[in-house]
Amino acid sequence: MSDDTTQGSNREKDVDQWVTQDEPMTGAQASYLQTLSQEAGEPFNESLTKGEASKRIDELQRKTGRGN
């Protein structure tokens, strides 16, 4: 299975069911959120959990037009 397929299946899993949802967001999430926040003209919250960061990324992708 390719990385893209693996990532796709993880993205489809409900964030609220992630075992790691309450852990601090990853460095990659933080970096991408900073970029999206700047583009959207919204504040960046560095204290989000992995689950919260994932939901915020989805929200800001829609707002900035970077979403699917």
Side-chain angles (χ1 to χ4, degrees):
M1 190 181 305
S2 73
D3 287 341
D4 289 339
T5 304
T6 301
Q7 288 176 0
S9 64
N10 286 342
R11 285 183 55 105
E12 291 174 14
K13 185 173 182 180
D14 183 3
V15 173
D16 294 325
Q17 294 181 12
W18 290 1
V19 174
T20 60
Q21 72 173 322
D22 294 325
E23 293 179 5
M25 74 174 125
T26 66
Q29 283 179 310
S31 177
Y32 190 43
L33 267 177
Q34 285 177 323
T35 299
L36 287 171
S37 294
Q38 286 177 344
E39 287 181 9
E42 297 204 6
F44 167 71
N45 181 348
E46 62 187 43
S47 66
L48 297 177
T49 65
K50 283 183 183 179
E52 292 167 337
S54 179
K55 290 175 183 179
R56 183 71 173 145
I57 287 169
D58 288 345
E59 177 185 333
L60 291 175
Q61 282 181 325
R62 284 189 296 276
K63 184 172 183 174
T64 62
R66 284 186 174 231
N68 293 335

